[in-house]
């Protein structure tokens, strides 16, 4: 069986360094992840600062309590050294001993001092919510049609470095409303062909580095160069240029006409087809893929 796939676009607007294609869904997915990534980085930074504040607060409480004990001991020593000052020292000593110094009182005093010098935590939280709203997962986007974890293998095309048959790889396959099919290869023991796409996409999420002193010294910064590499497709095909061939109940071959062309082959007018063998876990998943691939949006 073979069928052609028609669509509105045959020429991608932008190509990634690895040859994969960008479309609206990829750009939106990277934006959504960037916003949520920033939210997580903010929360982790806030957690570290909160712990730092709690430690400083405890140190200040302990300092004040220790200072009171030192003053009491100092005044008692002064009484013994200067008997003529006994009346004055008694008043001072009684005032120090009678002064109630509790942790709750010190905390209230410190909070009042902080509020008088800052804009307040509630305002900062409100600013954060307005500036960085939590966005839904890219897998819930209207720009995406299907998302499934499959196994794929690039077949021979007769072109050096492209022509050799590759091994089977677990990959998250995304079909978008712009008639592209993106593949995100996953080399992670937590993801297999039976994994839901949500689990696979979570593996693609970039790591968020906690802003500790050690991480800063090592240069582990959030949004450093290459932070979005995992969100760039490993491979892509334009469905408008594709043919589909059934192999068995759970697999099919997708052929993109001219999709494997190199710079040299394009120069001499020789287009090379890109061929991939796709394998699903269940027959129903393969049938669903075929239905989407062979039906115009």
């Amino acid at each position: 069986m073979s069928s052609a796939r028609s669509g509105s676009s045959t020429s991608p607007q932008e190509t990634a360094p690895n040859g994969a294609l960008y479309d609206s869904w990829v750009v939106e997915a990277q934006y959504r992840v960037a916003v949520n990534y920033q939210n997580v980085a903010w929360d982790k930074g806030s957690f570290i600062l909160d712990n730092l504040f709690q430690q400083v607060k405890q140190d200040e409480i302990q300092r004040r309590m220790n200072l009171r004990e030192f003053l009491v001991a100092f005044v008692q020593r002064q009484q013994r050294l200067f008997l003529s000052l006994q009346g004055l020292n008694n008043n001072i000593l009684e005032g120090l001993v009678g002064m109630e110094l509790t942790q709750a009182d010190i905390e209230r005093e410190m909070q009042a001092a902080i509020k008088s010098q800052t804009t307040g935590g509630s305002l900062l939280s409100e600013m954060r919510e307005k500036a960085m709203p939590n966005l839904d997962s890219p897998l819930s986007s209207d720009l995406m049609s299907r998302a499934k974890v499959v196994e794929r293998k690039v077949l021979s095309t007769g072109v050096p470095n492209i022509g050799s048959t590759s091994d089977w790889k677990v990959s998250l396959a995304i079909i978008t409303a712009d008639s592209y099919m993106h593949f995100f290869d996953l080399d992670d023991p937590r993801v297999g062909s039976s994994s839901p796409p949500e689990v696979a996409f979570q593996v693609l999420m970039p790591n968020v580095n906690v802003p500790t002193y050690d991480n800063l010294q090592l240069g582990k910064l959030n949004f450093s160069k290459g932070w979005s590499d995992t969100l760039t497709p490993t491979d892509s095909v334009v469905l408008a240029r594709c043919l589909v061939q059934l192999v068995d109940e759970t697999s099919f071959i997708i052929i993109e006409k001219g999709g494997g062309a190199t710079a040299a082959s394009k120069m001499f007018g020789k287009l090379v087809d890109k061929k991939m063998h796709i394998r699903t876990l269940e027959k129903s998943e393969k049938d669903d893929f075929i239905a989407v691939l062979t039906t115009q949006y």
Side-chain angles (χ1 to χ4, degrees), residues 140-180:
S140 63
S141 172
D142 294 335
L143 298 175
M144 188 198 73
S145 176
R146 289 291 188 279
K148 293 183 183 296
V149 178
V150 301
E151 292 180 316
R152 78 180 188 106
K153 179 166 64 174
V154 179
L155 302 178
S156 175
T157 60
V159 178
N161 299 325
I162 295 179
S164 58
T165 302
S166 66
D167 297 329
W168 285 103
K169 297 178 180 179
V170 176
S171 184
L172 175 62
I174 304 287
I175 300 178
T176 70
D178 288 337
S179 297
Y180 293 103

Side-chain angles (χ1 to χ4, degrees), residues 213-269:
Y213 177 80
D214 291 338
N215 282 342
L216 293 177
Q217 290 295 105
L218 294 173
K220 295 182 178 180
L221 305 175
N222 295 314
F223 286 108
S224 57
K225 183 179 180 180
W227 75 272
S228 63
D229 287 350
T230 57
L231 300 172
T232 300
T234 308
D235 205 348
S236 304
V237 295
V238 181
L239 297 182
R241 298 199 297 245
C242 288
L243 298 174
V244 177
Q245 295 179 348
L246 292 179
V247 177
D248 52 41
E249 289 190 347
T250 59
S251 69
F252 59 92
I253 292 175
I254 186 167
I255 305 171
E256 183 186 13
K257 306 300 290 184
T262 61
S265 63
K266 290 179 181 178
M267 182 181 300
F268 292 104

Side-chain angles (χ1 to χ4, degrees), residues 68-80 89:
R68 178 191 178 188
E69 296 298 323
F70 293 151
L71 288 174
V72 170
F74 175 77
V75 172
Q76 289 175 337
R77 182 180 180 184
Q78 292 295 91
Q79 275 188 320
R80 292 192 296 269
N89 282 344

